[in-house]
């Protein structure tokens, strides 16, 4: 199942990997303490009301939606302007105090957890939609703008912002994690959809990654600084403005669901649909266990089997033809039970339930919280990797529904785990690491969309090699020589 190299690594896995989860946050702290004088200086920049050392506020900002252990910041600062962000950054840099940008805390790899205390910089008050250029299909937003709010604002323009992680996240937080979701197979991820970013560097300087005011679809002008900050997880600077691409709301949308007796048949259908060049908007996989959770939580009555959820976007003319071609491919692969949802209410109900799958999976074990995984492989390896993952889950005797953005070769297991149950927690941790190793063994990545955060730093080294990670560390040193930006994330 694994290559020899991975087998050797697995032999050591329970002794070497588990401690990472316990508490191995990398190099010993070089961070200075947050003193009363320091807090007074913060207050003189952003005003008393925008600085909090209250336990409840620190607690709220010390974790995201993941299973990772909470990490309390010493103080939470609410910025109201770019100048606030710049002056707070400079103060932290001069005093070598950690600075952790906070979007909306929906991350899944412990990105906002303050591993060495310091300042959590909450940018949600900066929530202006600066401009929408409808004819150019772009808009520019401040970091407090959330993706659902943006789409509500855009409703009358006939445009929409397609990147849709299950949670309602901040657009700039989505830049920081390089997020995607169910629409990526058609519209791409954040990497393909960000045109420009304004970033405050740790020393307080403000840069525009593509040049001030630039918002072209193409550029050959020098290095791609924009994409350096996409996926940087708050380790290089604070994003204070993002210009992102928009798309026309399709004239017609058809959603559909169908079922298969095997993972192979479901994935074969997906590959053939893509080979036919059908521009699918969504191609999602749910395994039988996931469908059980889906039915129970969202009150559906779907056949419990390996399933595909699909969506077609396009002009009314021709969309039915696309649907009919896909229907033929489903039949050819022994798919069954094809049902469509054309009315908006019906479609919204289906996709809302898909986005809530993580909570549906938790409903399988009362009192549990989600432990999510996220791997991505070239699509030809997908059936093999999913089937082997199911075997690992069965062997460990844990509950692990599989849900995937299968059109991208990306899938998750949402393990519902009672965190007090250490034995199950360890098993789940072990499976998720094995899954990542297996994916990497098949030319894949340990994370398609949730990022490295604090949870996958050891895996990043395996994925890129020491030399690759060292090159990243050098980039980090260039932008953040004092190492104040979100320490302990991405790198061991
Ligand atoms: C139920 C559910 C479902 C999903 C997901 C979460 C949950 C809870 N996610 C994950 C999550 O929504 C995604 O990672 C978001 O991009 C996180 O955005 P936040 O604003 O919440 O960032 P959050 O505040 O959690 O921060 C995440 C990281 O980005 C940094 N950061 C945030 N704002 C920044 C800024 N302005 N400047 C610099 N750094 C900043 C932080 O420091 C941290 O390292 C997801 N994801 C996905 O890709 N596909 C999916 O399908 C889903 N689905
Ligand atoms: C644990 C939440 C993972 C969410 C996700 O990425 C999805 O639903 O696709
Ligand atoms: Mn996902």
């Amino acid at each position: 199942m694994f290559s020899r190299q991975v087998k050797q690594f697995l032999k050591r896995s329970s002794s070497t990997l588990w401690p990472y989860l316990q508490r191995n946050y990398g190099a010993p702290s070089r961070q200075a303490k947050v003193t009363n004088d320091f807090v007074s200086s913060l207050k003189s920049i952003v005003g008393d009301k925008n600085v909090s050392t209250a336990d409840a506020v620190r607690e709220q900002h010390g974790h995201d939606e993941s299973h990772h252990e909470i990490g309390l910041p010493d103080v939470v600062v609410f910025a109201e302007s770019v100048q606030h962000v710049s002056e707070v950054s400079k103060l932290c840099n001069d005093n070598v105090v950690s600075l952790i940008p906070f979007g909306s805390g929906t991350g899944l790899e412990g990105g906002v957890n303050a591993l060495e205390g310091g300042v959590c910089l909450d940018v949600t008050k900066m929530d202006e939609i600066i401009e929408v250029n409808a004819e150019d299909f772009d808009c520019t937003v401040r970091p407090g703008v959330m993706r659902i709010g943006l789409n509500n604002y855009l409703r009358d323009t006939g445009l929409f912002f397609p990147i849709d992680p299950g949670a309602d996240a901040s657009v700039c937080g989505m830049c920081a994690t390089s997020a995607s979701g169910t629409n990526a197979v058609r519209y791409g991820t954040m990497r393909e959809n960000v045109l420009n970013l304004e970033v405050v560097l740790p020393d307080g300087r403000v840069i525009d990654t593509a040049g001030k005011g630039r918002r072209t679809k193409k550029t050959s002008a020098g290095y791609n600084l924009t994409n350096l900050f996409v996926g940087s997880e708050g380790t290089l600077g604070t994003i204070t403005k993002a210009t992102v691409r928009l798309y026309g709301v399709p004239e017609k949308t058809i959603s559909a669901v169908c079922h298969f007796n095997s993972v192979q048949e479901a994935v074969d259908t997906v590959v053939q649909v893509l080979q036919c060049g059908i521009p699918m908007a969504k191609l999602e996989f749910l395994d039988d266990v996931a469908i059980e959770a889906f039915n129970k939580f969202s009150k559906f009555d779907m056949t419990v089997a390996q399933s595909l959820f699909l969506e077609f976007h396009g002009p009314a003319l021709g969309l039915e033809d696309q649907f009919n071609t896909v229907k033929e491919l489903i039949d050819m692969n022994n798919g069954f039970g094809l049902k469509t949802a054309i009315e908006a209410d019906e479609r919204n109900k289906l996709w809302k339930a898909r986005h809530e799958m993580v909570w549906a999976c938790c409903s399988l074990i009362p009192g549990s919280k989600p432990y999510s995984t996220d791997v991505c492989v070239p699509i030809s390896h997908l059936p093999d990797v999913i089937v082997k993952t199911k075997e690992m889950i069965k062997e460990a005797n844990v509950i692990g529904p599989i849900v995937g953005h299968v059109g991208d070769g990306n899938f998750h297991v949402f393990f519902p785990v009672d965190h007090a149950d250490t034995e199950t927690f360890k098993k789940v941790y072990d499976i998720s690491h094995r899954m990542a190793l297996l994916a990497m063994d098949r030319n894949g990545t340990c994370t398609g969309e949730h990022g490295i955060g604090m949870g996958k730093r050891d895996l990043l080294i395996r994925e890129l090699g020491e030399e690759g990670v060292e090159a990243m560390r050098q980039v980090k040193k260039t932008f953040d020589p004092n190492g104040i930006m979100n320490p302990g994330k991405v790198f061991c």
Side-chain angles (χ1 to χ4, degrees), residues 332-347:
M332 262 171 53
N333 288 294
N334 307 316
F336 55 92
L338 178 65
K339 283 205 182 86
T340 55
I342 295 172
E343 297 311 319
D345 282 359
E346 243 186 314
R347 284 191 278 110

Side-chain angles (χ1 to χ4, degrees), residues 318-385:
L319 205 65
E320 297 271 339
D321 291 342
Q322 289 181 17
F323 176 79
N324 287 332
T325 307
V326 171
K327 187 173 178 302
E328 269 178 48
L329 294 172
I330 292 169
D331 288 344
M332 262 171 53
N333 288 294
N334 307 316
F336 55 92
L338 178 65
K339 283 205 182 86
T340 55
I342 295 172
E343 297 311 319
D345 282 359
E346 243 186 314
R347 284 191 278 110
N348 291 343
K349 188 174 163 224
L350 180 78
W351 292 113
K352 182 171 174 289
R354 161 61 187 90
H355 276 143
E356 288 173 355
M357 270 313 290
V358 60
W359 314 122
C361 295
C362 286
S363 74
L364 295 175
I365 299 185
S368 65
K369 287 192 193 153
Y371 187 127
S372 66
T373 64
D374 168 36
V375 298
C376 188
V377 291
I379 199 161
S380 59
H381 287 301
L382 199 60
D384 174 46
V385 173

Side-chain angles (χ1 to χ4, degrees), residues 193-221:
N193 283 287
V194 183
L195 301 177
N196 201 349
L197 294 173
E198 180 187 81
V199 179
V200 176
L201 299 178
D203 62 7
R205 278 178 299 157
V206 183
I207 60 165
D208 294 273
T209 54
K212 207 169 177 58
R214 319 250 166 250
R215 48 186 181 81
T216 53
K217 298 277 180 297
K218 294 167 66 171
T219 169
S220 300

Side-chain angles (χ1 to χ4, degrees), residues 166 180-182 354 374 405 410 412 414 449-450:
S180 47
T182 63
R354 161 61 187 90
D374 168 36
H405 312 296
N410 182 197
H412 316 298
F414 300 157
E449 53 176 28
H450 297 163

